[in-house]
């Protein structure tokens, strides 16, 4: 049999099409990194695989849409998960900028729900979100996230999302404002968060 061909290849992982109990599935496999010593590499791949599966489950429990985890394999450092039907938010915004305000409001709500349940994502970009065919925002790629997130972690999430937006979608500044407004309307203690984000920005400026 020939080796399966990855349908996506990121910095750390490869994604393969698969099936699980009669359903469309994806396998996300963390490939070895030769520049890391083998022992450290195994540790990191194992940690990120376990962390990502755990975060997906915790977020789902809190009512935030993430892929269903079907299986975790710590020998292969892989997760078999639901293949979410929809379009990557990055592509949606590129192709249909007219939809940006609506999509961004949904993103704001989803991130606020995540943060209100004490979880931060760790890598919030429009490439790590899928607009599902049934019109919801599904968050993916949670390997850098954490539960028991502190104000600082949530501030970093928002700050990174703003930077990601500015670089990937420089023309969508109004839509990003809509995102922030819907986020702040749902987020618990929004003013504290806003102050933290300002602090993080200033830190970057003067250090
Ligand atoms: N459950 C899923 N359903 C549909 N598409 C997915 C799913 N998971 C990943 N994808 C697709 O595969 C791409 C890469 O996945 P992901 O972002 O998880 O990996 P990555 O960026 O390589 O990961 P990492 O940053 O952890 O190295 C995504 O941008 C998305 O297009
Ligand atoms: Mg990704």
């Amino acid at each position: 049999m020939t080796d399966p061909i990855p349908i996506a290849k990121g910095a750390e992982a490869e994604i393969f099409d698969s099936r699980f109990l009669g359903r469309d599935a994806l396998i996300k496999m963390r490939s070895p990194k030769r520049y890391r010593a083998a022992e450290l590499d195994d540790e990191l791949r194992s940690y990120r695989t376990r962390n990502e599966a755990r975060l997906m489950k915790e977020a789902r429990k809190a009512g935030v849409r993430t892929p269903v985890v079907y299986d975790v394999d710590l020998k292969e450092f892989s997760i078999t998960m639901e293949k979410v039907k929809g379009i990557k938010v990055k592509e949606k915004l590129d192709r249909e900028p007219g939809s940006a305000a609506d999509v961004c409001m949904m993103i704001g709500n989803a991130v606020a729900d995540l943060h209100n349940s004490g979880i931060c994502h760790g890598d919030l970009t429009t490439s790590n979100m899928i607009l599902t065919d049934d019109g919801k925002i599904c968050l993916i790629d949670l390997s850098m996230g954490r539960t028991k997130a502190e104000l600082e972690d949530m501030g970093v999430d928002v700050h990174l999302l703003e930077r990601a937006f500015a670089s990937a979608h420089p023309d969508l500044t109004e839509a990003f404002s809509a995102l922030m407004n819907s986020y702040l309307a749902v987020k618990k203690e929004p003013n504290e968060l806003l102050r933290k984000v300002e602090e993080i920005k200033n830190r970057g400026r003067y250090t």
Side-chain angles (χ1 to χ4, degrees):
M1 214 174 82
T2 52
D3 283 344
I5 299 161
I7 56 161
K9 198 169 165 31
E12 301 263 331
E14 291 179 317
I15 309 276
F16 300 92
D17 258 326
S18 185
R19 302 272 299 164
F20 186 84
L21 299 179
R23 293 163 200 246
D24 283 337
L26 288 180
I27 300 179
K28 177 170 179 174
M29 193 176 292
R30 290 185 176 276
S31 27
K33 288 276 165 278
R34 296 196 191 291
Y35 58 80
R36 290 198 292 244
E39 202 178 324
L40 172 67
D41 192 43
D42 280 7
E43 242 170 65
L44 269 178
R45 288 193 291 155
S46 170
Y47 173 75
R48 290 192 183 149
T49 304
R50 281 180 284 127
N51 195 50
E52 179 157 30
R54 184 177 67 95
L55 266 285
M56 281 198 267
K57 290 181 200 167
E58 290 294 328
R60 281 185 74 80
K61 273 193 233 161
V64 178
R65 181 78 170 89
T66 58
V68 181
V69 176
Y70 294 147
D71 193 28
V72 180
D73 182 337
L74 291 179
K75 282 205 187 75
E76 299 270 12
F77 306 103
S78 71
I79 300 173
T80 304
M81 67 181 96
E82 171 197 8
K83 179 174 188 174
V84 177
K85 295 195 171 41
I87 178 171
K88 210 191 285 192
V89 168
K90 166 85 170 64
E91 279 164 29
K92 175 75 179 179
L93 297 181
D94 286 344
R95 285 186 207 163
E96 285 175 55
S99 70
D102 285 346
V103 174
C104 283
M105 276 197 281
M106 291 196 285
I107 298 172
N109 286 330
V111 176
D113 287 343
L114 188 77
H115 285 178
N116 284 343
S117 65
I119 303 173
C120 70
H121 181 284
D123 191 16
L124 273 183
T125 68
T126 52
S127 291
N128 287 335
M129 302 170 187
I130 296 172
L131 176 64
T132 66
D133 287 347
D134 57 359
K136 301 215 170 71
I137 296 292
C138 178
L139 301 179
I140 62 169
D141 206 358
L142 287 102
S143 66
M144 309 299 275
R146 57 181 292 195
T147 49
K148 300 187 189 145
E150 294 181 10
L151 184 60
E152 169 82 20
D153 303 312
M154 301 184 201
V156 169
D157 256 4
V158 170
H159 178 55
L160 287 182
L161 182 59
E162 185 172 1
R163 302 240 315 229
F165 243 87
S167 77
H169 311 287
D171 300 330
L172 299 182
T173 48
E174 260 178 56
F176 186 76
S177 298
L179 188 162
M180 280 307 293
N181 286 334
S182 68
Y183 172 81
L184 293 169
V186 177
K187 173 78 179 69
K188 290 183 216 152
E189 302 178 337
N191 293 329
E192 238 187 310
L193 187 283
L194 271 184
R195 273 196 294 276
K196 181 52 86 175
V197 174
E198 283 310 308
E199 185 201 309
I200 293 167
K201 278 185 198 164
N202 285 326
R203 237 187 263 161
R205 214 163 277 154
Y206 299 118
T207 52

Short mmCIF file of all heavy atoms in Angstrom, two decimals, residues 147-195:
data_model
loop_
_atom_site.label_atom_id
_atom_site.label_comp_id
_atom_site.label_asym_id
_atom_site.label_seq_id
_atom_site.Cartn_x
_atom_site.Cartn_y
_atom_site.Cartn_z
N THR A 147 -6.54 25.20 30.07
CA THR A 147 -7.69 25.42 30.95
C THR A 147 -7.14 26.23 32.13
O THR A 147 -5.94 26.43 32.24
CB THR A 147 -8.28 24.09 31.44
OG1 THR A 147 -7.22 23.27 31.91
CG2 THR A 147 -9.00 23.35 30.33
N LYS A 148 -8.01 26.68 33.01
CA LYS A 148 -7.59 27.55 34.12
C LYS A 148 -6.81 28.74 33.59
O LYS A 148 -5.76 29.13 34.15
CB LYS A 148 -6.74 26.77 35.13
CG LYS A 148 -7.46 25.60 35.76
CD LYS A 148 -6.64 24.98 36.86
CE LYS A 148 -7.25 23.68 37.35
NZ LYS A 148 -6.28 22.68 37.73
N ALA A 149 -7.27 29.28 32.48
CA ALA A 149 -6.59 30.42 31.87
C ALA A 149 -6.69 31.63 32.78
O ALA A 149 -7.71 31.86 33.42
CB ALA A 149 -7.22 30.72 30.52
N GLU A 150 -5.60 32.39 32.85
CA GLU A 150 -5.61 33.61 33.64
C GLU A 150 -5.90 34.80 32.72
O GLU A 150 -5.85 34.67 31.50
CB GLU A 150 -4.27 33.76 34.33
CG GLU A 150 -4.12 32.64 35.34
CD GLU A 150 -2.82 32.67 36.12
OE1 GLU A 150 -2.10 33.68 36.03
OE2 GLU A 150 -2.58 31.69 36.82
N LEU A 151 -6.16 35.94 33.35
CA LEU A 151 -6.44 37.16 32.59
C LEU A 151 -5.36 37.40 31.53
O LEU A 151 -5.65 37.74 30.39
CB LEU A 151 -6.51 38.34 33.58
CG LEU A 151 -6.88 39.70 33.00
CD1 LEU A 151 -8.25 39.67 32.35
CD2 LEU A 151 -6.80 40.78 34.07
N GLU A 152 -4.11 37.21 31.93
CA GLU A 152 -2.97 37.37 31.02
C GLU A 152 -3.14 36.49 29.76
O GLU A 152 -2.93 36.96 28.64
CB GLU A 152 -1.69 37.00 31.77
CG GLU A 152 -0.45 36.85 30.91
CD GLU A 152 0.23 38.19 30.58
OE1 GLU A 152 0.00 39.18 31.30
OE2 GLU A 152 0.98 38.21 29.59
N ASP A 153 -3.50 35.20 29.95
CA ASP A 153 -3.64 34.29 28.80
C ASP A 153 -4.74 34.77 27.85
O ASP A 153 -4.60 34.69 26.63
CB ASP A 153 -4.01 32.88 29.29
CG ASP A 153 -2.99 32.31 30.26
OD1 ASP A 153 -1.79 32.39 29.95
OD2 ASP A 153 -3.39 31.81 31.34
N MET A 154 -5.84 35.25 28.44
CA MET A 154 -6.95 35.71 27.60
C MET A 154 -6.56 37.01 26.88
O MET A 154 -6.89 37.21 25.71
CB MET A 154 -8.19 35.93 28.45
CG MET A 154 -8.62 34.66 29.16
SD MET A 154 -10.15 34.90 30.06
CE MET A 154 -10.02 33.56 31.23
N GLY A 155 -5.82 37.85 27.59
CA GLY A 155 -5.34 39.09 26.98
C GLY A 155 -4.43 38.79 25.80
O GLY A 155 -4.54 39.42 24.74
N VAL A 156 -3.56 37.81 25.97
CA VAL A 156 -2.65 37.42 24.88
C VAL A 156 -3.47 36.87 23.70
O VAL A 156 -3.20 37.20 22.54
CB VAL A 156 -1.60 36.40 25.37
CG1 VAL A 156 -0.83 35.79 24.20
CG2 VAL A 156 -0.62 37.07 26.34
N ASP A 157 -4.48 36.05 23.98
CA ASP A 157 -5.36 35.54 22.92
C ASP A 157 -5.93 36.69 22.08
O ASP A 157 -5.87 36.66 20.84
CB ASP A 157 -6.56 34.79 23.55
CG ASP A 157 -6.44 33.27 23.46
OD1 ASP A 157 -5.40 32.77 22.97
OD2 ASP A 157 -7.40 32.58 23.88
N VAL A 158 -6.49 37.69 22.77
CA VAL A 158 -7.14 38.80 22.06
C VAL A 158 -6.10 39.62 21.30
O VAL A 158 -6.31 40.01 20.14
CB VAL A 158 -7.93 39.69 23.06
CG1 VAL A 158 -8.40 40.97 22.40
CG2 VAL A 158 -9.11 38.91 23.63
N HIS A 159 -4.97 39.85 21.95
CA HIS A 159 -3.89 40.61 21.30
C HIS A 159 -3.39 39.91 20.03
O HIS A 159 -3.24 40.53 18.98
CB HIS A 159 -2.75 40.80 22.31
CG HIS A 159 -1.58 41.53 21.76
ND1 HIS A 159 -1.67 42.78 21.18
CD2 HIS A 159 -0.26 41.19 21.69
CE1 HIS A 159 -0.48 43.17 20.78
NE2 HIS A 159 0.39 42.21 21.07
N LEU A 160 -3.18 38.60 20.13
CA LEU A 160 -2.70 37.85 18.96
C LEU A 160 -3.75 37.81 17.86
O LEU A 160 -3.42 37.89 16.68
CB LEU A 160 -2.31 36.42 19.35
CG LEU A 160 -1.02 36.29 20.16
CD1 LEU A 160 -0.70 34.82 20.44
CD2 LEU A 160 0.16 36.95 19.44
N LEU A 161 -5.01 37.72 18.25
CA LEU A 161 -6.08 37.72 17.25
C LEU A 161 -6.10 39.05 16.50
O LEU A 161 -6.25 39.09 15.27
CB LEU A 161 -7.44 37.45 17.92
CG LEU A 161 -8.64 37.37 16.97
CD1 LEU A 161 -8.46 36.27 15.94
CD2 LEU A 161 -9.93 37.14 17.76
N GLU A 162 -5.91 40.13 17.24
CA GLU A 162 -5.89 41.44 16.60
C GLU A 162 -4.72 41.55 15.63
O GLU A 162 -4.87 42.03 14.50
CB GLU A 162 -5.79 42.54 17.67
CG GLU A 162 -5.87 43.93 17.08
CD GLU A 162 -5.98 45.04 18.11
OE1 GLU A 162 -5.96 44.74 19.33
OE2 GLU A 162 -6.06 46.21 17.70
N ARG A 163 -3.56 41.06 16.05
CA ARG A 163 -2.39 41.09 15.16
C ARG A 163 -2.61 40.20 13.94
O ARG A 163 -2.22 40.54 12.82
CB ARG A 163 -1.15 40.63 15.92
CG ARG A 163 -0.85 41.47 17.16
CD ARG A 163 0.49 42.13 17.09
NE ARG A 163 1.51 41.23 16.62
CZ ARG A 163 2.69 41.05 17.20
NH1 ARG A 163 2.96 41.70 18.31
NH2 ARG A 163 3.59 40.25 16.69
N ALA A 164 -3.20 39.03 14.16
CA ALA A 164 -3.45 38.11 13.04
C ALA A 164 -4.40 38.76 12.04
O ALA A 164 -4.20 38.64 10.83
CB ALA A 164 -4.04 36.79 13.57
N PHE A 165 -5.41 39.43 12.56
CA PHE A 165 -6.36 40.12 11.69
C PHE A 165 -5.67 41.21 10.89
O PHE A 165 -5.87 41.35 9.69
CB PHE A 165 -7.49 40.74 12.53
CG PHE A 165 -8.80 40.15 12.21
CD1 PHE A 165 -9.22 39.00 12.87
CD2 PHE A 165 -9.61 40.70 11.23
CE1 PHE A 165 -10.44 38.43 12.56
CE2 PHE A 165 -10.83 40.13 10.91
CZ PHE A 165 -11.25 39.00 11.57
N ALA A 166 -4.85 42.01 11.58
CA ALA A 166 -4.19 43.13 10.91
C ALA A 166 -3.30 42.62 9.78
O ALA A 166 -3.17 43.26 8.74
CB ALA A 166 -3.39 43.94 11.92
N SER A 167 -2.66 41.44 9.98
CA SER A 167 -1.78 40.99 8.91
C SER A 167 -2.51 40.19 7.84
O SER A 167 -2.23 40.35 6.66
CB SER A 167 -0.57 40.24 9.48
OG SER A 167 -0.93 38.95 9.85
N ALA A 168 -3.49 39.37 8.23
CA ALA A 168 -4.18 38.54 7.21
C ALA A 168 -5.32 39.30 6.53
O ALA A 168 -5.66 39.01 5.39
CB ALA A 168 -4.71 37.26 7.85
N HIS A 169 -5.93 40.24 7.25
CA HIS A 169 -7.12 40.94 6.72
C HIS A 169 -7.01 42.45 6.95
O HIS A 169 -7.84 43.03 7.67
CB HIS A 169 -8.39 40.40 7.38
CG HIS A 169 -8.49 38.91 7.39
ND1 HIS A 169 -8.78 38.17 6.26
CD2 HIS A 169 -8.31 38.00 8.38
CE1 HIS A 169 -8.78 36.88 6.56
NE2 HIS A 169 -8.49 36.75 7.84
N PRO A 170 -5.99 43.08 6.36
CA PRO A 170 -5.74 44.50 6.67
C PRO A 170 -6.91 45.42 6.31
O PRO A 170 -7.03 46.50 6.88
CB PRO A 170 -4.49 44.83 5.84
CG PRO A 170 -4.38 43.76 4.82
CD PRO A 170 -5.00 42.54 5.40
N ASP A 171 -7.79 44.98 5.38
CA ASP A 171 -8.91 45.86 4.99
C ASP A 171 -10.14 45.69 5.88
O ASP A 171 -11.13 46.40 5.71
CB ASP A 171 -9.32 45.57 3.54
CG ASP A 171 -8.17 45.82 2.58
OD1 ASP A 171 -7.33 46.70 2.89
OD2 ASP A 171 -8.11 45.12 1.54
N LEU A 172 -10.08 44.76 6.80
CA LEU A 172 -11.29 44.45 7.58
C LEU A 172 -11.25 45.05 8.98
O LEU A 172 -11.64 44.40 9.95
CB LEU A 172 -11.50 42.93 7.64
CG LEU A 172 -11.71 42.23 6.29
CD1 LEU A 172 -11.95 40.74 6.48
CD2 LEU A 172 -12.89 42.85 5.53
N THR A 173 -10.80 46.28 9.09
CA THR A 173 -10.70 46.88 10.44
C THR A 173 -12.08 47.06 11.07
O THR A 173 -12.24 46.87 12.26
CB THR A 173 -9.97 48.24 10.40
OG1 THR A 173 -10.54 49.01 9.36
CG2 THR A 173 -8.48 48.05 10.12
N GLU A 174 -13.08 47.42 10.26
CA GLU A 174 -14.42 47.59 10.82
C GLU A 174 -14.98 46.28 11.32
O GLU A 174 -15.62 46.21 12.38
CB GLU A 174 -15.37 48.14 9.76
CG GLU A 174 -15.59 49.63 9.89
CD GLU A 174 -16.49 50.15 8.80
OE1 GLU A 174 -17.62 49.64 8.67
OE2 GLU A 174 -16.05 51.07 8.08
N ALA A 175 -14.73 45.23 10.55
CA ALA A 175 -15.22 43.91 10.96
C ALA A 175 -14.54 43.49 12.26
O ALA A 175 -15.16 42.89 13.13
CB ALA A 175 -14.96 42.88 9.86
N PHE A 176 -13.26 43.83 12.40
CA PHE A 176 -12.59 43.48 13.66
C PHE A 176 -13.21 44.25 14.83
O PHE A 176 -13.35 43.69 15.92
CB PHE A 176 -11.07 43.71 13.60
CG PHE A 176 -10.40 43.20 14.85
CD1 PHE A 176 -10.21 41.84 15.04
CD2 PHE A 176 -10.04 44.08 15.87
CE1 PHE A 176 -9.65 41.36 16.22
CE2 PHE A 176 -9.48 43.61 17.06
CZ PHE A 176 -9.28 42.24 17.23
N SER A 177 -13.62 45.49 14.59
CA SER A 177 -14.31 46.23 15.66
C SER A 177 -15.61 45.53 16.04
O SER A 177 -15.96 45.44 17.23
CB SER A 177 -14.64 47.65 15.22
OG SER A 177 -13.47 48.35 14.94
N ALA A 178 -16.32 45.02 15.04
CA ALA A 178 -17.56 44.28 15.32
C ALA A 178 -17.26 43.04 16.15
O ALA A 178 -18.00 42.69 17.08
CB ALA A 178 -18.26 43.88 14.02
N LEU A 179 -16.14 42.39 15.82
CA LEU A 179 -15.71 41.21 16.58
C LEU A 179 -15.48 41.58 18.05
O LEU A 179 -15.99 40.93 18.97
CB LEU A 179 -14.43 40.65 15.96
CG LEU A 179 -13.87 39.31 16.45
CD1 LEU A 179 -12.90 38.75 15.42
CD2 LEU A 179 -13.20 39.38 17.80
N MET A 180 -14.74 42.67 18.26
CA MET A 180 -14.43 43.09 19.64
C MET A 180 -15.70 43.48 20.39
O MET A 180 -15.86 43.16 21.56
CB MET A 180 -13.43 44.26 19.63
CG MET A 180 -11.99 43.84 19.41
SD MET A 180 -11.38 42.56 20.52
CE MET A 180 -11.38 43.39 22.09
N ASN A 181 -16.61 44.18 19.70
CA ASN A 181 -17.85 44.58 20.38
C ASN A 181 -18.66 43.37 20.82
O ASN A 181 -19.18 43.34 21.94
CB ASN A 181 -18.70 45.48 19.47
CG ASN A 181 -18.10 46.87 19.38
OD1 ASN A 181 -17.39 47.31 20.30
ND2 ASN A 181 -18.36 47.56 18.27
N SER A 182 -18.76 42.37 19.95
CA SER A 182 -19.56 41.20 20.35
C SER A 182 -18.82 40.41 21.42
O SER A 182 -19.43 39.86 22.34
CB SER A 182 -19.91 40.32 19.14
OG SER A 182 -18.76 39.72 18.61
N TYR A 183 -17.48 40.36 21.32
CA TYR A 183 -16.68 39.69 22.36
C TYR A 183 -16.93 40.36 23.72
O TYR A 183 -17.24 39.69 24.71
CB TYR A 183 -15.20 39.75 21.99
CG TYR A 183 -14.27 39.26 23.09
CD1 TYR A 183 -14.05 37.90 23.28
CD2 TYR A 183 -13.63 40.16 23.94
CE1 TYR A 183 -13.21 37.45 24.30
CE2 TYR A 183 -12.78 39.73 24.95
CZ TYR A 183 -12.58 38.37 25.12
OH TYR A 183 -11.75 37.93 26.14
N LEU A 184 -16.81 41.69 23.75
CA LEU A 184 -16.90 42.41 25.03
C LEU A 184 -18.32 42.38 25.60
O LEU A 184 -18.50 42.44 26.82
CB LEU A 184 -16.42 43.85 24.86
CG LEU A 184 -14.92 43.97 24.54
CD1 LEU A 184 -14.57 45.40 24.12
CD2 LEU A 184 -14.07 43.55 25.75
N ALA A 185 -19.33 42.25 24.71
CA ALA A 185 -20.71 42.19 25.19
C ALA A 185 -20.98 40.88 25.93
O ALA A 185 -21.84 40.81 26.81
CB ALA A 185 -21.68 42.35 24.03
N VAL A 186 -20.24 39.85 25.60
CA VAL A 186 -20.47 38.52 26.19
C VAL A 186 -19.45 38.21 27.29
O VAL A 186 -19.76 37.55 28.28
CB VAL A 186 -20.41 37.43 25.09
CG1 VAL A 186 -20.56 36.03 25.68
CG2 VAL A 186 -21.48 37.67 24.04
N LYS A 187 -18.24 38.71 27.15
CA LYS A 187 -17.14 38.40 28.08
C LYS A 187 -17.47 38.92 29.48
O LYS A 187 -17.90 40.06 29.64
CB LYS A 187 -15.86 39.06 27.55
CG LYS A 187 -14.64 39.00 28.47
CD LYS A 187 -13.98 37.64 28.43
CE LYS A 187 -12.75 37.60 29.33
NZ LYS A 187 -13.06 37.67 30.77
N LYS A 188 -17.20 38.05 30.49
CA LYS A 188 -17.32 38.49 31.88
C LYS A 188 -16.17 39.46 32.17
O LYS A 188 -15.05 39.23 31.73
CB LYS A 188 -17.21 37.30 32.83
CG LYS A 188 -18.39 36.36 32.80
CD LYS A 188 -18.17 35.27 33.86
CE LYS A 188 -18.70 33.93 33.39
NZ LYS A 188 -18.01 32.79 33.98
N GLU A 189 -16.42 40.46 32.95
CA GLU A 189 -15.40 41.46 33.32
C GLU A 189 -14.62 41.98 32.11
O GLU A 189 -13.39 41.84 32.03
CB GLU A 189 -14.45 40.87 34.37
CG GLU A 189 -15.22 40.43 35.60
CD GLU A 189 -14.35 39.78 36.67
OE1 GLU A 189 -13.26 39.27 36.36
OE2 GLU A 189 -14.79 39.80 37.82
N PRO A 190 -15.35 42.59 31.16
CA PRO A 190 -14.71 43.04 29.93
C PRO A 190 -13.68 44.15 30.14
O PRO A 190 -12.68 44.21 29.42
CB PRO A 190 -15.88 43.52 29.07
CG PRO A 190 -16.97 43.82 30.04
CD PRO A 190 -16.80 42.86 31.17
N ASN A 191 -13.94 45.04 31.12
CA ASN A 191 -13.01 46.17 31.28
C ASN A 191 -11.64 45.73 31.75
O ASN A 191 -10.61 46.24 31.30
CB ASN A 191 -13.60 47.21 32.24
CG ASN A 191 -14.82 47.86 31.62
OD1 ASN A 191 -14.90 48.00 30.39
ND2 ASN A 191 -15.79 48.24 32.45
N GLU A 192 -11.64 44.77 32.67
CA GLU A 192 -10.37 44.20 33.14
C GLU A 192 -9.57 43.66 31.96
O GLU A 192 -8.37 43.85 31.86
CB GLU A 192 -10.71 43.03 34.06
CG GLU A 192 -10.17 43.14 35.46
CD GLU A 192 -10.42 41.84 36.20
OE1 GLU A 192 -11.57 41.33 36.17
OE2 GLU A 192 -9.45 41.31 36.78
N LEU A 193 -10.30 42.94 31.08
CA LEU A 193 -9.64 42.34 29.92
C LEU A 193 -9.05 43.41 29.01
O LEU A 193 -7.90 43.30 28.58
CB LEU A 193 -10.68 41.47 29.18
CG LEU A 193 -10.25 40.58 28.02
CD1 LEU A 193 -10.04 41.37 26.74
CD2 LEU A 193 -9.02 39.74 28.31
N LEU A 194 -9.85 44.47 28.77
CA LEU A 194 -9.38 45.54 27.89
C LEU A 194 -8.12 46.20 28.45
O LEU A 194 -7.18 46.48 27.71
CB LEU A 194 -10.47 46.60 27.73
CG LEU A 194 -11.46 46.38 26.59
CD1 LEU A 194 -12.42 47.56 26.51
CD2 LEU A 194 -10.74 46.21 25.25
N ARG A 195 -8.13 46.41 29.77
CA ARG A 195 -6.93 47.01 30.39
C ARG A 195 -5.72 46.11 30.19
O ARG A 195 -4.62 46.56 29.92
CB ARG A 195 -7.16 47.25 31.90
CG ARG A 195 -7.82 48.60 32.19
CD ARG A 195 -7.67 48.96 33.66
NE ARG A 195 -8.40 48.05 34.55
CZ ARG A 195 -9.69 48.18 34.84
NH1 ARG A 195 -10.39 49.18 34.34
NH2 ARG A 195 -10.29 47.32 35.64
#
